[in-house]
Amino acid sequence: GAGVSQTPSNKVTEKGKYVELRCDPISGHTALYWYRQSLGQGPEFLIYFQGTGAADDSGLPNDRFFAVRPEGSVSTLKIQRTERGDSAVYLCASSASGTPGREQFFGPGTRLTVL
Amino acid sequence: GESVGLHLPTLSVQEGDNSIINCAYSNSASDYFIWYKQESGKGPQFIIDIRSNMDKRQGQRVTVLLNKTVKHLSLQIAATQPGDSAVYFCAENMIKAAGNKLTFGGGTRVLVKP
C-alpha cells in the first residue's frame, strides 16, 4: 500500500512513562503533520515538518512533547512523563510540498491510552 | 483563537434520503474549506473542498455550499447510503499558514437507517 502508515495502532502505558509513536509518510511527500484527536473532537494540529526541520511546532501542548524527522521521511512523536490527559488518537498526515490542505493524506492513527 | 464548529452533533437519515451537514466558521481569511469523512478506527478521508472565492462545488453525490456572508458551510449528500455512516468534519486551511495546516471543527455523526 502507498498510504500513510502509523505504528503502533494501539499503545497502552502508565502515567509517567515515555512513549514513541511512529509515522511513515507517503513516499516522496516532503511535508508531514502530526495531529491529536480526542474522543468526539476534530483533530488538532501539533507540529509540521518540511523535510527534516520542524517548520511549525506551535501546536505542541508543552515541552513533554517532541517530534523528529531526521532523514526527512519517517517521523517519531515522543511524549515524556505521560499524563492521563495525553490519552487520544495521534494522527499523522503527509502531503507534497506547497499543496493546499486538501492534499493532506492521513494515516489510521495511534490510539494512546495512559492509565 | 479562531475556530471551525458544527451545529448538529448527530444526524439520523433514512437510506436514500438526502443529508445536510452544517458548519459555522469564524476565520474569514481562510482560503479553502474542506469536508472530511472519518470512519471508526480510520483517519480522516478527504471528500470535497471549496475555495473561498466560490459559492458552490459539486462532486459525486456530494455538494458543498459556502455562504461567506454568514460564515456558513454545508455538505449535502444525495441518496444517502449505509456506507455514508461516519463522522464528518469540516476544516479550514490558510495557504499562508506554515505548511497549510488544517483547523478542524468538532464533527457530526451521520447514522444511516435502512
Side-chain angles (χ1 to χ4, degrees):
Chain A
V4 178
S5 62
Q6 293 185 245
T7 54
S9 57
N10 282 283
K11 176 70 177 178
V12 180
T13 190
E14 294 179 341
K15 178 183 174 184
K17 298 291 187 181
Y18 168 83
V19 296
E20 291 189 350
L21 311 178
R22 176 188 169 108
C23 171
D24 282 87
I26 292 172
S27 179
H29 279 187
T30 57
L32 185 146
Y33 312 79
W34 284 98
Y35 293 83
R36 179 168 71 172
Q37 186 175 25
S38 300
L39 189 63
Q41 303 294 318
E44 293 180 304
F45 170 79
L46 295 177
I47 186 170
Y48 152 64
F49 286 90
Q50 179 56 48
T52 60
D56 182 355
D57 65 357
S58 61
L60 295 179
N62 51 59
D63 61 6
R64 295 187 297 106
F65 289 74
F66 189 72
V68 296
R69 195 185 185 199
E71 298 179 355
S73 178
V74 170
S75 177
T76 304
L77 178 65
K78 308 180 180 191
I79 310 174
Q80 299 177 323
R81 304 183 304 280
T82 52
E83 301 178 356
R84 292 192 178 89
D86 298 335
S87 295
V89 174
Y90 289 81
L91 294 163
C92 177
S94 71
S95 70
S97 180
T99 57
R102 69 186 303 222
E103 308 217 352
Q104 289 185 32
F105 296 90
F106 284 82
T110 293
R111 181 175 297 279
L112 175 66
T113 302
V114 182
L115 302 177
Chain B
E2 308 211 58
S3 63
V4 178
L6 294 175
H7 297 306
L8 299 174
T10 304
L11 178 66
S12 292
V13 183
Q14 196 71 38
E15 181 179 356
D17 287 352
N18 296 337
S19 302
I20 299 177
I21 307 167
N22 297 302
C23 174
Y25 67 91
S26 58
N27 188 352
S28 57
S30 293
D31 299 294
Y32 280 92
F33 299 90
I34 310 162
W35 282 101
Y36 284 89
K37 173 185 180 182
Q38 187 173 26
E39 297 174 289
S40 181
K42 298 182 179 180
Q45 178 185 6
F46 171 85
I47 301 173
I48 191 169
D49 68 350
I50 187 168
R51 287 200 70 152
S52 59
N53 61 357
M54 298 172 64
D55 298 318
K56 179 179 180 180
R57 187 159 188 238
Q58 289 185 294
Q60 186 177 10
R61 281 203 307 120
V62 294
T63 301
V64 56
L65 299 177
L66 176 63
N67 186 331
K68 292 181 287 294
T69 302
V70 295
K71 297 183 181 177
H72 184 266
L73 185 71
S74 68
L75 177 69
Q76 300 178 359
I77 305 173
T80 311
Q81 303 170 359
D84 295 327
S85 292
V87 178
Y88 290 80
F89 294 96
C90 62
E92 57 184 321
N93 173 223
M94 289 179 61
I95 294 176
K96 295 178 187 177
N100 297 312
K101 64 185 178 186
L102 298 167
T103 301
F104 285 84
T108 293
R109 181 176 300 280
V110 173
L111 300 174
V112 181
K113 298 178 289 185

